[in-house]
Amino acid sequence: MSVKQNFEHVQASIQSACKRSDRDPARIHIVAVTKYVSVERAQEAINAGIVHLGENRIEEGLDKWTALGSQATWHFIGNLQSKKVKKMIHAFEYIHSLDRLSLAKEIDKRVEEGEKKKCFVQVNVTGEESKSGLHPDEVMGFIDDLKKYPSIEVVGLMTMAPFKEDKETLRPAFKHLRQLKERVEHLQLPHAPCHELSMGMSNDYEVAIEEGATFIRIGSSLVGKEK
Ligand SMILES: *Cc1c(COP(=O)(O)O)cnc(C)c1O
């Protein structure tokens, strides 16, 4: 399938999910996750009208950024080692995986003077051992501590749900993240507006949207899987 056809299908599903949950489709941003595909396929996504691209590996992400650069807004969605921040920070406008203060400190150090980096705080709402992210109970304290790092702007919270055949079983996890987001939002912290929710992937984005997602990260069912 062409990216264009997949994109049309995803857009139609977003429309339906928004209708079911009385939401405005304009609030949903699609991040095409290009980690499984070539530069050419990522270009095809851009040509189809996709503006946000997501990568979880630094080397491959930078290769695509070098080739495609300013045609897209770049999102880093993978685990991020502090020592790698320096080489990637200029390319990615959003970081979805902020989960520790040592990483925040490094980002703050490497961001250009006077600039801000848009970060999502990653939360492990389902408590799976294999997933990174903060325990929900740690989130409020962590976000408070981030005020020490003036270059960090907490735009929202992010989670990665486990794969479940029955997507309904994920609904409580998405709802939990939304409630946490609302708690932070209500504090109206200057460094943490926290209006966004990065949740939902190919398998579960419709449920995530019904529960408030504003950035959905879709790989296989949008650009496909070449490797
Ligand atoms: C790979 C990946 C995705 C996309 O996964 P698909 O199931 O292919 O849509 C989304 N988010 C993160 C963090 C990923 O690593």
Side-chain angles (χ1 to χ4, degrees):
M1 291 280 259
S2 70
V3 178
K4 192 162 179 290
Q5 285 169 307
N6 292 336
F7 187 34
E8 283 164 6
H9 174 79
V10 169
Q11 283 175 312
S13 304
I14 292 173
Q15 291 285 345
S16 313
C18 283
K19 209 162 253 163
R20 287 194 295 276
S21 51
D22 197 22
R23 294 194 58 204
D24 176 6
R27 277 291 283 139
I28 321 291
H29 306 285
I30 302 171
V31 180
V33 177
T34 49
K35 66 186 184 193
Y36 311 115
V37 301
S38 62
V39 170
E40 291 70 28
R41 189 74 170 170
Q43 178 71 66
E44 196 186 326
I46 293 168
N47 296 347
I50 290 167
V51 289
H52 298 280
L53 295 189
E55 281 282 328
N56 71 337
R57 292 258 158 74
I58 293 183
E59 302 299 337
E60 292 173 27
L62 287 175
D63 284 349
K64 289 203 181 73
W65 178 80
T66 305
L68 305 170
S70 60
Q71 299 181 73
T73 296
W74 296 84
H75 296 251
F76 192 79
I77 62 171
N79 291 331
L80 184 51
Q81 288 176 275
S82 297
K83 66 177 184 200
K84 300 272 178 70
V85 168
K86 187 178 177 213
K87 67 194 291 198
M88 56 75 77
I89 195 79
H90 60 287
F92 293 91
E93 196 167 313
Y94 289 83
I95 293 173
H96 289 241
S97 47
L98 179 58
D99 61 355
R100 56 196 193 279
L101 289 175
S102 56
L103 178 59
K105 186 176 178 191
E106 181 65 18
I107 293 170
D108 187 57
K109 181 171 157 192
R110 301 298 178 186
V111 169
E112 301 259 341
E113 189 69 40
E115 281 190 16
K116 301 237 182 245
K117 189 58 65 179
K118 297 185 181 83
C119 295
F120 286 90
V121 170
Q122 185 169 355
V123 187
N124 182 354
V125 265
T126 52
E128 275 181 303
E129 295 264 351
S130 62
K131 294 273 189 305
S132 39
L134 295 165
H135 186 279
D137 292 347
E138 299 171 323
V139 170
M140 301 308 281
F142 180 74
I143 288 178
D144 186 48
D145 287 341
L146 288 176
K147 65 177 181 284
K148 290 194 291 232
Y149 303 110
S151 313
I152 305 264
E153 181 184 6
V154 180
V155 294
L157 303 183
M158 178 274 209
T159 200
M160 200 172 164
F163 179 87
K164 285 276 167 21
E165 206 65 57
D166 178 5
K167 295 152 217 191
E168 273 307 313
T169 61
L170 297 171
R171 191 178 293 280
F174 292 140
K175 188 174 289 193
H176 191 174
L177 195 72
R178 185 187 72 221
Q179 289 165 342
L180 263 177
K181 180 213 88 158
E182 286 168 353
R183 275 180 66 196
V184 181
E185 207 174 18
H186 286 155
L187 296 176
Q188 300 190 318
L189 303 169
H191 73 289
C194 206
H195 300 312
E196 311 297 340
L197 271 176
S198 169
M199 60 188 195
M201 320 199 299
S202 290
N203 179 57
D204 56 21
Y205 69 91
E206 289 156 289
V207 181
I209 289 170
E210 289 170 16
E211 294 303 329
T214 62
F215 283 81
I216 54 175
R217 311 177 309 266
I218 312 189
S220 37
S221 65
L222 183 55
V223 292
K225 217 166 178 171
E226 295 169 341
K227 53 186 177 195

